[in-house]
Amino acid sequence: MKNIYLFLAIPIIILAIGCKKEMEANVEGVFSGGATTIFDETSNAYTFPSNNLSTVDADTHIEADAIFEQKFVTGEIFNKDFDGLGPQFNHVSCSGCHLRNGRAAPPTNLNEPSGLLIRLSIDGIDDYGGPLAVPGFGGQLQNFSDMANDREADLFITYLPIQEIFPDQKVVTLSKPFYKLTNSYMNLPLNLKTSPRIASIIPGLGLLEALSEETILEYVDEFDKNKDGISGRANYGWSVEYGKKMIGRFGWKAATTSLKEQSAAALNQDMGLTNSIFPEENCKGQTNCVDDGVKDISLEQLEQFTFYCQTVGVPAARNQGDSMVQRGKRLFTQIGCDKCHRPSMKTGIHPSIQALSNQVIFPYTDMLLHDMGEDLADNRPDFLATGKEWRTPPLWGIGLSQVVNNHIRLMHDGRANGFEEAILWHNGEGVTAKKAYKLLIKSERESLIKFLESL
Ligand code: HEC
Ligand code: HEC
């Protein structure tokens, strides 16, 4: 008798689980990256090629994966393909900062390479409308160097506590970081501007590159005509490859126009590797820095870095059928988070990768710049972005941060510890949403965070 029940029970359970998965898959937003979406919730969730790549493209992706992980070495002795690192650098591989393609945390040991870097400039703009480089230092602090050269400077961080008090008397203490450079190899100018940036996640970037310019501009409201206190606008950066201004998409201030330029800049600035787009060594005043004129990175290698960043699949949203998650999702809209974290859009035609074209995606970004207030400001303009403006970051995959990278450090320099702190840092155009969040009752706040965790 018992056995009969068992015989009946097992298929019913299997059927029930099957139905649940089926229902979940039908809830809007599960396929965060359209057909590129990956179904994996492990620490590898950010590391799979887009699900819909052709066999040839999937093979190219797997080859390129190796170079993203590759540690480069200084000098020209060891290995012809992977040498040329430095003389100045921040890290030795892409994945050193983008660990498992994920976000970095602010370093606990500032004397070790980390995923936090500091952009530099002085007052004024360069010939292309970008930040003006610092004599002797360039546009980024490289706090590591080869043996023949000095590191540019050491980084030093102090913190100021900021208290946020909720109507129900809950208190959260935020830590506001201040960045200082010490022991510089030559004098730093008095009007030095610094912009701290933490390494962000790699999945889905190709889809953002495939958005048409019109789609991005749909949400622009530069003069806040609808009077909601939010005035998103696009950044336009300089494309070295095309020799013209183009809409900016990448980086925390959307100053970079394509994944090829972002990769080329990372190679040159973060690792000291010259390439076709940025052929000059990144040392600006070091006496032992010799430029041999040979490009450290071949054209083919640059294509590989680019292709890899374009084709990492986005992990699916999870638990979308859960009632708490659904409540959180409603609240996300009710309190106006969706005004900048635009839930959905459709990609246009990607110039080279068909799998990225015409996908309905759920990135939760408008790709636009917003004034986020004084406390988040770096006071360092970057093309059209002012010192207070930041690009709304995508939220897809964000709920897997803990699983993939063992931390939930958020915002442009990783200052927020967890989702609630991230929300509490929203000021400027984001202040209405933050105030509305603080006014929610505890269970509503928990539902909203549950929703973020499901992305
Ligand atoms: C020293 C740490 C570091 C290294 C090494 C590094 N990155 Fe990054 N990466 C960052 C930071 C910080 C940002 C954000 C930059 C900004 O805001 O301008 C970033 C941003 C990016 C982005 C844009 C992400 C977005 O959401 O807009 C891409 C693509 C990228 N990196 C690719 C690479 C590639 C390819 C390599 C290796 C060639 C690499 N990175 C090496 C720290 C690093
Ligand atoms: C005015 C536009 C705007 C509104 C409204 C807004 N955000 Fe943001 N959000 C941003 C910007 C811009 C950033 C990045 C700021 C920075 O890094 O300094 C950000 C960052 C975040 C981050 C951290 C992302 C990361 O990768 O580090 C989370 C989480 C987030 N927002 C959630 C929310 C939630 C929840 C709400 C509603 C309570 C909300 N946001 C409302 C613009 C907005």
Side-chain angles (χ1 to χ4, degrees), residues 103 229-230 252 332 335-341 366 368-372 376 390-395 398 409-413 415 419 422-423 426-431 433-434 437 448 452:
R103 66 183 63 238
I230 297 177
W252 287 95
F332 188 83
I335 66 172
C337 307
D338 66 336
K339 288 190 172 166
C340 303
H341 296 282
D366 56 5
L368 300 176
L369 298 172
H370 299 277
D371 179 330
M372 297 298 285
L376 281 177
W390 302 95
R391 174 195 73 162
T392 313
L395 300 179
I398 203 165
R409 300 304 295 262
L410 304 169
M411 310 308 268
H412 65 268
D413 56 0
R415 63 178 67 191
F419 295 112
I423 296 169
H426 284 62
N427 283 312
E429 294 173 40
V431 79
K434 165 185 143 171
Y437 172 80
L448 183 66
L452 295 174

Side-chain angles (χ1 to χ4, degrees), residues 90 93-94 97-98 119 197-198 250-252 262 270 391:
N90 295 97
S93 67
C94 308
C97 292
H98 301 277
R119 295 272 158 77
R197 313 271 179 109
I198 203 88
F250 303 106
W252 287 95
Q262 182 84 39
D270 305 354
R391 174 195 73 162

